[in-house]
Amino acid sequence: MEFTKYHGLGNDFILIDNRSSSEPCLTPEQSVQMCSRHFGIGADGVIFALPGQNGNDYTMRIFNSDGSEPEMCGNGIRCLAQFLAELEATALGAGIEEISPRSYRIHTLAGTITPRLKGNGLVTVDMGQPQLSAASIPTTLVSGDQKIVNQSLEVAGQSWSVTCVSMGNPHCVTFVDDVAAVPLETIGPVFEHHSVFPQRTNTEFIQAVTPTYLKMRVWERGAGATLACGTGACAAVVAGVLTGKSDRHATIELPGGCLEIEWSQLDGRVYMTGPATKVFTGKI
Ligand code: ZDP
């Protein structure tokens, strides 16, 4: 079986051309094995490019490195767009520059998401509108129709002021003075498995250096500390706007590099721009 390894700012994925079947050709258990950095290829997740449904061009499914299946993946969908463009270009005997700019309508468990290859190596993704009600995160922290903005949450014997955002997947965002000082490896899993998050949660710590420049570290549900998280960067800007810490348009600095995020005032949708980089292809 062939695969291609991509990364978006060091958030790395194994991409599989699964266009001939509507079910992923690997089980979650096989994906865990492939993601292993010691016993496999090594990645934060496996992404399957499947045939489209509901009028979309393609379908994306993803398994985290622990085998769980998230609804959406921001860095991953940029990689998927780049992967699809390369498959299409190869089939046409063309270069990828010749088919971009190009947009794809991708069916995901979080609805239709639209990445657009800009032709300069960057991909802008229409990530849709964030959902803010407790029921949509989901969290039991407050009652179902309420938002969670600067809400206090007890984690590991300490009180944290959290803001929750769904970008299709759950995010719990905390603003801190010094993001480098956060003990991510110890506190991250406690947030992820906290009883108020029935589907677990992705966890972001943000330092607003200025309202247009945020530094972020992330503990991902099902993948642990990663170098970048696209949906998390979107959630950070939404949480920043809700708490007055961020403008609607900001640069997010992650350990693996920077993403540009805009929460549009016009249509309420979040637009994410960043790179998607091919690393190598292989056979397993
Ligand atoms: O929601 C989850 O379980 C995440 N681990 C999914 C992956 C998110 C990702 N890092 C992103 O960029 O949005 C791929």
Side-chain angles (χ1 to χ4, degrees):
M1 193 185 101
E2 284 191 20
F3 68 90
T4 308
K5 189 65 199 291
Y6 277 82
H7 77 88
L9 302 177
N11 192 195
D12 58 343
F13 304 98
I14 298 161
L15 276 289
I16 309 278
D17 179 1
N18 207 132
R19 291 175 299 169
S20 56
S21 159
S22 57
E23 279 304 312
C25 61
L26 295 172
T27 63
E29 294 71 30
Q30 289 170 321
S31 301
V32 170
Q33 176 82 22
M34 288 175 76
C35 286
S36 166
R37 299 197 184 275
H38 300 290
F39 299 98
I41 300 159
D44 293 325
V46 180
I47 292 176
F48 303 89
L50 303 146
Q53 32 182 305
N54 307 344
N56 293 301
D57 299 319
Y58 295 100
T59 297
M60 173 173 85
R61 299 266 308 263
I62 166 173
F63 295 139
N64 284 319
S65 56
D66 76 348
S68 59
E69 180 169 15
E71 304 80 354
M72 235 305 272
C73 175
N75 287 322
I77 206 160
R78 293 200 316 277
C79 294
L80 177 73
Q82 190 74 23
F83 178 60
L84 289 168
E86 286 180 22
L87 289 176
E88 289 182 356
T90 304
L92 291 170
I96 193 165
E97 348 32 78
E98 291 170 58
I99 64 165
S100 36
R102 167 87 164 85
S103 292
Y104 293 101
R105 289 173 53 82
I106 309 288
H107 177 75
T108 75
L109 296 179
T112 299
I113 307 287
T114 316
R116 180 174 180 77
L117 296 167
K118 306 208 320 174
N120 57 358
L122 295 176
V123 184
T124 294
V125 186
D126 173 354
M127 301 281 283
Q129 296 183 345
Q131 301 300 317
L132 302 174
S133 71
S136 65
I137 305 298
T139 177
T140 56
L141 191 50
V142 297
S143 68
D145 54 348
Q146 286 186 293
K147 294 178 186 174
I148 302 92
V149 179
N150 277 336
Q151 179 80 34
S152 98
L153 175 67
E154 192 83 1
V155 182
Q158 220 182 312
S159 175
W160 304 75
S161 177
V162 305
T163 299
C164 295
V165 177
S166 171
M167 289 303 308
N169 55 355
H171 294 273
C172 178
V173 179
T174 303
F175 287 87
V176 295
D177 293 335
D178 178 8
V179 81
V182 173
L184 192 62
E185 302 278 343
T186 51
I187 201 78
V190 190
F191 272 89
E192 178 186 356
H193 296 279
H194 198 291
S195 61
V196 297
F197 300 112
Q199 303 289 327
R200 302 189 281 154
T201 190
N202 295 287
T203 303
E204 289 83 18
F205 297 94
I206 316 290
Q207 177 183 347
V209 180
T210 72
T212 58
Y213 196 93
L214 314 183
K215 280 190 187 177
M216 163 172 151
R217 287 171 73 205
V218 55
W219 180 268
E220 275 189 40
R221 174 181 68 169
T226 58
L227 295 180
C229 177
T231 49
C234 295
V237 169
V238 171
V241 171
L242 296 174
T243 57
K245 292 203 165 21
S246 170
D247 287 355
R248 297 187 81 100
H249 193 158
T251 301
I252 312 297
E253 183 193 304
L254 297 132
C258 290
L259 289 171
E260 292 294 323
I261 308 293
E262 181 178 13
W263 187 16
S264 168
Q265 193 125 39
L266 289 176
D267 58 16
R269 306 172 83 85
V270 183
Y271 295 88
M272 169 191 69
T273 301
T277 310
K278 184 173 170 178
V279 191
F280 62 90
T281 60
K283 273 188 187 171
I284 189 163

